[in-house]
Amino acid sequence: MPGIKLGAQLYTVREFTQTPQGIEETLRKIKKMGFDVIQISAFGKIDPQRLAALVDELELDVCVTHTPLDRLQNELDQVIEEHRMLHCDQIGLGGMPEEYRSSKEGLEAFLSMITPIAQQIHNAGMTFAYHNHNFEFEKFDGKLIFDQLIEHTNPDCFQFILDTYWVQAGGCDPSAYIRKLKGRMKVCHFKDYAICKGQPAFAEIGVGNLDLAQAYRACQEAGVPYIVIEQDVCPRDPFDCLRVSYENLKRLAAQAE
């Protein structure tokens, strides 16, 4: 398969993307850093046409978004049209709302709510994708929530954005789950996992303890076309953190290709 495309999950720099001017400055800065692929997440309000024009001007590939659930529930036709403007064919959800997380009945209610949304997205020629945290690795009736999401959803309509940090935080093997999701994942989040003063911490790629070289090989084996860098919390300028992660990921990718 062709080489995996590497990108930036712009949630990492969300404090800089809350105004139209901030979004434009951030996109130009990200492009100058060498990124051609982005995931849009946690943006402030911006006219969709202005955003689409910026994406086109900078020749950015928007591989996926994180879109708020309330917009999926109440503005789905508009969301789909905005994604068409961005040439983006995958609409992501950043996580299951808390009210669904505490019981099997809650999980079933979430699936009942999200399934028709995913079907409507599929009918529009796009796919829905779900991003995990660590709570999906709790068990209901002896089975992980994440495994139940895999088993009780339609692969044609419901895909995943696996997050390496959160799988590790949930006590599972990121590489094993990458392989398990073969055919159901367009974008994988690479995020390193460190221990700082005895506590888990987000880290730049190559700085933490995860075997991301193995995770990269798993992405190759599973046919994952995109890997994007994300760091929820940065100890310094998040653009610097992205730069370190990008350089380290490029080296890792070069060794694996």
Side-chain angles (χ1 to χ4, degrees), residues 5 10 18 20 24 26 34 57 68 82 96 99-100 128 144 163 175-176 178 187 191 198 200 204 207 209 236:
K5 296 180 180 180
L10 297 184
Q18 297 311 302
E24 178 171 352
T26 295
E57 176 194 341
E82 289 170 8
M96 191 185 306
E99 61 264 30
Y100 297 107
F128 169 81
L144 296 174
D163 186 301
S175 296
I178 290 168
V187 179
K191 182 188 302 180
E204 296 86 342
V207 175
N209 301 330
R236 57 184 186 281

Side-chain angles (χ1 to χ4, degrees), residues 4-10 12 29-38 59-60 190-192 203-207 212 216 226-231 236-255:
I4 297 171
K5 296 180 180 180
L6 309 181
Q9 183 359 359
L10 297 184
T12 308
K29 192 168 185 177
I30 288 291
K31 179 70 175 185
K32 191 173 182 180
M33 288 170 63
F35 287 103
D36 295 318
V37 173
I38 60 168
E59 299 182 324
L60 291 168
F190 266 35
K191 182 188 302 180
D192 216 336
E204 296 86 342
I205 290 171
V207 175
L212 290 174
Y216 190 93
Y226 292 92
I227 290 171
V228 298
I229 297 160
E230 182 179 32
Q231 190 168 339
R236 57 184 186 281
D237 183 343
F239 289 101
D240 288 341
C241 292
L242 264 181
R243 187 177 291 106
V244 169
S245 287
Y246 190 38
E247 293 304 319
N248 288 343
L249 181 56
K250 284 191 295 184
R251 280 194 292 270
L252 184 156
Q255 292 168 1

Side-chain angles (χ1 to χ4, degrees), residues 119-132:
Q119 182 65 56
Q120 189 173 340
I121 291 170
H122 176 70
N123 293 346
M126 301 178 181
T127 54
F128 169 81
Y130 180 85
H131 171 269
N132 69 281

Side-chain angles (χ1 to χ4, degrees), residues 108-173:
E108 290 171 349
F110 173 75
L111 288 172
S112 294
M113 177 272 297
I114 203 66
T115 295
I117 292 174
Q119 182 65 56
Q120 189 173 340
I121 291 170
H122 176 70
N123 293 346
M126 301 178 181
T127 54
F128 169 81
Y130 180 85
H131 171 269
N132 69 281
H133 292 84
N134 58 347
F135 71 84
E136 291 92 350
F137 296 90
E138 183 177 346
K139 291 182 178 179
F140 294 154
D141 291 343
K143 183 170 288 188
L144 296 174
I145 295 171
F146 198 75
D147 288 339
Q148 295 187 55
L149 286 171
I150 294 171
E151 292 173 14
H152 298 301
T153 52
N154 181 348
D156 292 334
C157 302
F158 195 110
Q159 296 200 348
F160 293 87
I161 306 166
L162 193 79
D163 186 301
T164 57
Y165 176 98
W166 289 118
V167 176
Q168 179 68 34
C172 290
D173 178 2

Side-chain angles (χ1 to χ4, degrees), residues 37-61:
V37 173
I38 60 168
Q39 175 178 345
I40 291 175
S41 178
F43 276 16
K45 289 188 177 180
I46 183 172
D47 180 85
Q49 292 184 334
R50 179 175 178 181
L51 179 58
L54 278 168
V55 165
D56 286 346
E57 176 194 341
L58 297 172
E59 299 182 324
L60 291 168
D61 179 356

